[in-house]
Structure formats: structure tokens, C-alpha cells
């Protein structure tokens, strides 16, 4: 395992923590002051057999969305394991029932990635609506082009109704930015937000949200109730010529999305993360009107530092005998939003 780096803790018989991916500068050093920290110091995920072997005897694991935290991994870690600290706000890589059955707490990194992710939703929305990806590809291809009154026209966002599916922290941050574009905002969520968090956005049933959103941004977290919630039938409910931005893997059915672009029902779409990463659905790759980026939502220097620090804070709190700072609590119901 050439990418593994172990820092000895300052105490004898220190708890042992596995970090499954290279983290922002300085983050692991904070951890290593309190325990024996073993880091897979690479940008690629740990191969599964190495992960299973390296997990053995750990008190905590710092994991990413690429690490399936299931019964097999938990059993490989063994009875010393007290915390899975996911370096992400999402936790769809984690079998929560298997963790609960073994008394293993789960933490995640909410809050610190909200603004970066909302910025990326807007970057993608603007790129899709104004055909930035297509234009760039055209120039780089060397194909001839000329300015023309009818050349590469996009959709103007000012005043256009914006729908947000999933009005958590990221959805609300996307909504706040819409004020700068004079866009009326509606949303669909498991439950109505307190008025001070709605900031003028209107709660609508899902059917109505889809029927009235010229622009739809999907930020609902992936879970059993939301997997493929936006399928071919739901996409057909959007107005013809709509733009869709997907910020959560697996909530929008990628094949159906490609179909809605191919038929011309959607004007454009943008996707930040993918159901079977690093694979991207080939039908999506074939769509000129799809802006596709490799899971960059939280990818800023400041945010990745904050995510790493929060993951370590969670571990340190548990090693000190306390509760994780940002423990993940599964939503109270698995009923799909209707
Ligand atoms: C998350 O934290 O769930 C994001 O997808 C990481 O960028």
C-alpha cells in the first residue's frame, strides 16, 4: 500500500483512526496529535480489499462518498469502531441500520459546504442556460463560426420562475442567489420551512412545482425515498424548453434526463454528480446541451479545508468521550415527497 502514511500519536496505546483519502493541508496533522492516524494519501479511492484490511481495529474511520460503509466494512473494522465520520454532507454511501446495529455513530459535514455548492449550482445553471460548454467546445474544435443574430441563442434567466426540489441548506442558498436575477422562487420539500427561512419562496406540491418551473434545481438528498424521484414521467411534467440542474447523484434518472434532452423537451441540463461515479451515463455524454462536471460542488480550497476540519472535530469529540459535533440523524420518514 504505497499511498498509506501513518502518523504515530503522542500517547502510547493511542486510538487508531483510518482516513480513506488525502485531506486538505494540516487536517490530518490535527488528528495525528490525538491518535495514530493512518491516511490513504491519494486522490483515488482505496481499493476495497485494502480498505477492509486497513479498517481492522480502528476506533474511527474518516470516509468519503466513494467508500461503501456496509456490514462487511463494519465487521472488518471490528468492535473497537465507534464513529464513521463522512467527509461529505451526504451519507448515501453508509448503511445506517448496519451502523446502528453495531452502536457505531455516523457524522457528516453539513453547513460548511453550503455556499460553495450553491455557487456551483448557479455556475452550472448559467452555463447550461447560456450554452457556455457548447460555445467553448466549438471554439476549441477549430470549426468555423461567425457572430450572427441567430447564433447560439440561450435562455435568459432574469424573471424566469425557479423551482427548487429539496429546500435544505443548499436549496435555500440557491434561492437566496435568485433574488439577484429577479427570479420568483417556488420549492418542494418534505415539510414547509419556517417563514423566515422561506424568504418569499412558495411551497408547492411536486406536480405543480414541475409544471411551473422553467428552471429546476434539484438539491434533495439521495435516500430510499428520493432515488430516481425525477424520472421520465416527472421530467415530462416540466414546461417544454426548461433547464434542469442536478446537484445530487441519483435523484434525477440520468438515462431519462438524456432522453428529455434528446427529444428537445428540455432546453439544457447540468449535472454536478453522478449515480455511478466516476462513470457518467453514456447517453448524457452524448448530449451537447448537457453541462457535466466531475462532482465539483464543494470543491473550493476554503470549503474542503472546512470539511476536513469538521470531520476531524467529529473524531476528536468522540475520542474525547463525547458526541460527534455534527452527528447524522436520518430523516424521520422514508415516505417520498409528494
Ligand atoms: C457532499 O458532501 O455530499 C457533496 O456531494 C460533496 O461535494
Amino acid at each position: 500500500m504505497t499511498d498509506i502514511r501513518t502518523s504515530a500519536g503522542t500517547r502510547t496505546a493511542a486510538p487508531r483512526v483510518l482516513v480513506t483519502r488525502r485531506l486538505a493541508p494540516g487536517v490530518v496533522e490535527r488528528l495525528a496529535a490525538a491518535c495514530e492516524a493512518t491516511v490513504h494519501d491519494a486522490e483515488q479511492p482505496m481499493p476495497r480489499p485494502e480498505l477492509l484490511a486497513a479498517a481492522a481495529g480502528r476506533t474511527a474511520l474518516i470516509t468519503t462518498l466513494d467508500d461503501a460503509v456496509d456490514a462487511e466494512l463494519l465487521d472488518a473494522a471490528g468492535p473497537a469502531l465507534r464513529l464513521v465520520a463522512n467527509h461529505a454532507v451526504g451519507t448515501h454511501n453508509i448503511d445506517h441500520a448496519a451502523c446502528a446495529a453495531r452502536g457505531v455513530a455516523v457524522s457528516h459535514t453539513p453547513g460548511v459546504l453550503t455556499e460553495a455548492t450553491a455557487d456551483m449550482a448557479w455556475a452550472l445553471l448559467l452555463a447550461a442556460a447560456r450554452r457556455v460548454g457548447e460555445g467553448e467546445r466549438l471554439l476549441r474544435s477549430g470549426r468555423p463560426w461567425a457572430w450572427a443574430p441567430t447564433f447560439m441563442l440561450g435562455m435568459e434567466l432574469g424573471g424566469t420562475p425557479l423551482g427548487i426540489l429539496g429546500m435544505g441548506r443548499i436549496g435555500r442558498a440557491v434561492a437566496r442567489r435568485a433574488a439577484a436575477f429577479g427570479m420568483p422562487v417556488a420549492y418542494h420539500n418534505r415539510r414547509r420551512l419556517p417563514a423566515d427561512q422561506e424568504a418569499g419562496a412558495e411551497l408547492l406540491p411536486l406536480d405543480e412545482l414541475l409544471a411551473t418551473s422553467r428552471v429546476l434545481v434539484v438539491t434533495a438528498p439521495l435516500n430510499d425515498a428520493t432515488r430516481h424521484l425525477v424520472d421520465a414521467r416527472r421530467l415530462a411534467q416540466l414546461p417544454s424548453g426548461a433547464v434542469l440542474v442536478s446537484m445530487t447523484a441519483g435523484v434525477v434518472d440520468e438515462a431519462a434526463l438524456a432522453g428529455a434532452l434528446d427529444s428537445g423537451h428540455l432546453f439544457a441540463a447540468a449535472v454536478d454528480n453522478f449515480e455511478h461515479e466516476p462513470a457518467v451515463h453514456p447517453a448524457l455524454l452524448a448530449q451537447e446541451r448537457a453541462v457535466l462536471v466531475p462532482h465539483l460542488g464543494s470543491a473550493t480550497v476554503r470549503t474542503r479545508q472546512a470539511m476536513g476540519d469538521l470531520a476531524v472535530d467529529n473524531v476528536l469529540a468522540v475520542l474525547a468521550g463525547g458526541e460527534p459535533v455534527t452527528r447524522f440523524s436520518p430523516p424521520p420518514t422514508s415516505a417520498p415527497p409528494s
Side-chain angles (χ1 to χ4, degrees):
M1 284 191 294
T2 51
D3 293 325
I4 289 279
R5 160 163 80 84
T6 298
S7 323
T10 51
R11 295 179 248 148
T12 53
R16 300 171 65 231
V17 176
L18 175 66
V19 183
T20 68
R21 201 73 68 88
R22 178 179 301 152
L23 300 182
V27 171
V28 169
E29 286 67 18
R30 276 184 63 224
L31 182 65
C35 64
E36 179 194 308
T38 298
V39 186
H40 177 66
D41 192 20
E43 290 195 338
Q44 292 301 313
M46 286 183 90
R48 183 76 178 176
E50 288 182 26
L51 175 60
L52 293 174
R58 303 292 169 177
T59 308
L61 307 175
I62 295 185
T63 50
T64 73
L65 290 173
D66 288 322
D67 305 312
V69 180
D70 53 13
E72 182 189 38
L73 179 61
L74 297 170
D75 290 342
L81 188 65
R82 282 154 55 199
L83 176 69
V84 173
N86 223 30
H87 185 282
V89 66
T91 61
H92 54 264
N93 57 312
I94 297 176
D95 181 337
H96 291 282
C99 288
R102 290 159 180 79
V104 175
V106 174
S107 66
H108 62 151
T109 61
V112 293
L113 48 73
T114 304
E115 303 303 325
T117 308
D119 285 352
M120 179 55 77
W122 276 92
L124 292 177
L125 176 50
L126 285 160
R130 299 302 302 274
R131 306 177 65 175
V132 172
E134 278 177 89
E136 227 226 343
R137 281 194 294 280
L138 174 67
L139 289 192
R140 289 183 189 277
S141 76
R143 291 199 301 276
W145 66 280
W147 187 94
T150 52
F151 174 61
M152 217 174 245
L153 307 186
M155 182 210 272
E156 203 152 315
L157 293 180
T160 302
L162 168 66
I164 300 180
L165 175 53
M167 198 69 153
R169 292 182 186 81
I170 296 169
R172 298 199 295 275
V174 170
R176 282 198 301 277
R177 286 155 173 75
F181 290 79
M183 296 169 81
V185 181
Y187 72 98
H188 181 77
N189 207 39
R190 270 182 304 120
R191 64 176 82 86
R192 168 166 235 126
L193 297 179
D196 60 330
Q197 291 183 14
E198 271 186 327
E202 186 188 4
L203 175 68
L204 292 178
L206 184 53
D207 289 338
E208 211 176 314
L209 183 83
L210 295 172
T212 55
S213 297
R214 290 273 292 157
V215 171
L216 182 74
V217 178
V218 178
T219 60
L222 176 63
N223 54 44
D224 290 344
T226 61
R227 188 175 297 280
H228 288 193
L229 177 63
V230 181
D231 56 9
R233 181 178 74 85
R234 295 291 192 191
L235 288 166
Q237 291 179 288
L238 286 164
S240 173
V243 173
L244 181 147
V245 176
S246 168
M247 299 302 292
T248 323
V251 176
V252 179
D253 178 337
E254 290 170 18
L257 181 60
L261 288 166
D262 202 47
S263 69
H265 178 61
L266 292 186
F267 179 79
V271 183
D272 176 59
N273 48 63
F274 301 89
E275 191 170 355
H276 302 292
E277 285 181 12
V280 178
H281 198 293
L284 266 184
L285 285 171
Q287 293 302 321
E288 268 293 290
R289 293 285 180 93
V291 178
L292 308 171
V293 294
H295 204 148
L296 297 179
S298 64
T300 69
V301 172
R302 184 201 293 172
T303 289
R304 288 292 165 79
Q305 187 75 47
M307 289 169 73
D309 282 336
L310 184 50
V312 166
D313 289 346
N314 278 303
V315 174
L316 296 180
V318 169
L319 294 186
E323 272 288 293
V325 189
T326 47
R327 187 180 191 130
F328 177 80
S329 315
T333 169
S334 62
S338 57

